[in-house]
Amino acid sequence: MGKVKSNPDKLNPLGTYQKYIQECEDLKSELALNNKELSFLQQLLDRYFDEIVHTENLDEVRESLMRFQDLCYNCGRLKKRVEDQHQLLVDIMNGALDYDPTSLQKEQTWIEKCKSSIMKDCKTVKKEILNIANEVIQMNKDNNDLVFQA
């Protein structure tokens, strides 16, 4: 008699969906923290915008700002999909909906892949924006030192 391969979703779908729900909740928490960081970076950009546009590396600054805007958009998009997925999983657990396990799995996989990409992009963009702000702050400090020396 041959071995029967078991599918964990068929044997324990509730456990799998509970795991997915926990992953969604964890990701929602990560995205909330990420949103706070993006908000801080936006405030930093707003504060130093006039000085930033007068820097010598305007093309690099423009590219960094475009990456920042893309990141903000992608975070919002991911947040919406995670919330939708979370609600769908809760509805499934409550027996309120019929569902396609394959599409559910694909969406969960997409969410995880997107999360990895966004977290990587966030680190890069955060570093770029902080470097830009640091250059502006240093330039202002140097200009103030020259004023006080004169």
Side-chain angles (χ1 to χ4, degrees):
M1 192 180 250
K3 291 184 179 181
V4 176
K5 292 185 179 181
S6 62
N7 182 344
D9 278 347
K10 289 182 181 176
L11 295 176
N12 187 10
L14 293 180
T16 301
Y17 298 142
Q18 287 172 340
K19 180 183 134 211
Y20 288 168
I21 287 173
Q22 185 60 48
E23 288 173 1
C24 286
E25 289 173 356
D26 292 345
L27 185 52
K28 284 171 38 176
S29 295
E30 284 182 57
L31 288 172
L33 289 173
N34 196 34
N35 207 23
K36 287 181 182 181
E37 285 184 352
L38 292 176
S39 177
F40 168 75
L41 293 174
Q42 184 65 56
Q43 290 174 357
L44 196 61
L45 289 170
D46 291 345
R47 165 73 173 88
Y48 294 109
F49 184 77
D50 289 337
E51 291 92 348
I52 289 172
V53 295
H54 295 299
T55 63
E56 297 172 10
N57 305 327
L58 193 55
D59 288 335
E60 291 174 22
V61 169
R62 184 179 305 118
E63 288 176 18
S64 293
L65 294 176
M66 288 172 55
R67 279 191 288 276
F68 176 75
Q69 291 302 320
D70 288 345
L71 178 63
C72 291
Y73 172 78
N74 290 337
C75 283
R77 186 170 153 231
L78 178 60
K79 180 182 177 189
K80 173 72 172 122
R81 290 205 44 186
V82 168
E83 288 171 353
D84 291 348
Q85 178 80 344
H86 183 260
Q87 187 58 51
L88 177 65
L89 289 164
V90 168
D91 290 345
I92 290 169
M93 294 288 291
N94 292 333
L97 290 175
D98 289 330
Y99 60 93
D100 176 17
T102 305
S103 65
L104 197 65
Q105 170 81 36
K106 285 180 183 177
E107 181 69 6
Q108 197 70 23
T109 302
W110 182 90
I111 286 171
E112 286 299 317
K113 183 179 175 183
C114 191
K115 169 197 160 194
S116 298
S117 175
I118 283 178
M119 294 306 166
K120 179 184 168 192
D121 291 347
C122 187
K123 287 179 184 179
T124 302
V125 168
K126 181 179 173 182
K127 184 178 177 182
E128 289 174 358
I129 300 297
L130 291 174
N131 283 337
I132 291 168
N134 187 42
E135 287 177 23
V136 169
I137 291 169
Q138 191 63 41
M139 194 170 49
N140 285 344
K141 182 181 175 199
D142 292 345
N143 288 342
N144 287 340
D145 288 346
L146 288 175
V147 169
F148 286 124
Q149 289 178 358

